[in-house]
Amino acid sequence: MTVAIFKKDSDDDEDFRHVTYAVAVTDLAEAVKLTLKDCGAKAAMLNCPIEKEQLQRLGVEPGELIAIHDDEVDPIIPRPRRH
């Protein structure tokens, strides 16, 4: 799931950062809701389903989500969050 989050300290309406999340839920609508709730974005784009093995490598359990890319934070130290 990719979201665009507007930068708080910017006067430019087009100044935002991209964050990509891995979400471990089977319902796509629930994945969108969890991601939007976690990051405060106004919209999300579903990229592609993630295989169970990929989630396990990330340490994500069912019902959790984790930010796996943020173009403003390098590197991300992932910590899964449960909602």
Side-chain angles (χ1 to χ4, degrees):
M1 181 92 38
T2 299
V3 294
I5 303 171
F6 288 100
K7 294 181 180 178
K8 293 178 184 172
D9 299 333
S10 176
D11 294 332
D12 185 357
D13 286 342
E14 296 189 22
D15 194 13
F16 55 88
R17 66 187 229 257
H18 288 99
V19 182
T20 303
Y21 286 84
V23 187
V25 295
T26 56
D27 180 8
L28 298 178
E30 185 67 16
V32 171
K33 280 183 10 184
L34 291 174
T35 303
L36 295 178
K37 179 180 174 187
D38 187 75
C39 68
K42 296 184 180 182
M45 178 179 70
L46 181 62
N47 302 82
C48 64
I50 296 178
E51 300 295 324
K52 184 177 179 179
E53 293 79 20
Q54 293 170 305
L55 290 170
Q56 289 172 337
R57 275 187 254 134
L58 292 169
V60 181
E61 299 293 328
E64 292 181 337
L65 76 157
I66 186 173
I68 56 173
H69 171 79
D70 184 336
D71 64 3
E72 211 173 67
V73 180
D74 188 37
I76 287 181
I77 299 171
R79 280 179 244 123
R81 294 181 293 282
R82 179 170 278 293
H83 284 271

